[in-house]
Amino acid sequence: MSASTSSMTRRVMSPCIGICKLDQKSGLCIGCKRTIEEIGRWAMLDDPARQTIIDQLPTRKL
């Protein structure tokens, strides 16, 4: 595997559990607790940015 290929490999997976509905009050997905912006950008984020979001999820309240 070349360096450019390995640098593109994503290791931090999406927290999506297939319950995709936004809570009207909080604006968070009731399944994964991400915002619509975070969900939309997920594929473009690098692993450190993804991990930052993952680390914040346990503190988010619906």
Side-chain angles (χ1 to χ4, degrees), residues 2-57:
S2 71
S4 63
T5 303
S6 64
S7 67
M8 294 176 65
T9 302
R10 299 278 191 234
R11 300 196 194 290
V12 179
M13 301 302 291
S14 169
C16 179
I17 59 170
I19 302 172
C20 306
K21 183 176 179 184
L22 292 179
D23 176 68
Q24 290 183 356
K25 213 176 209 184
S26 67
L28 300 173
C29 173
I30 64 170
C32 68
K33 295 186 181 177
R34 290 180 294 169
T35 66
I36 191 69
E37 292 82 13
E38 290 167 343
I39 294 166
R41 292 186 328 216
W42 191 261
M44 296 173 276
L45 296 175
D46 60 13
D47 278 347
R50 288 179 174 195
Q51 190 61 53
T52 297
I53 293 168
I54 294 289
D55 292 344
Q56 294 170 358
L57 298 180

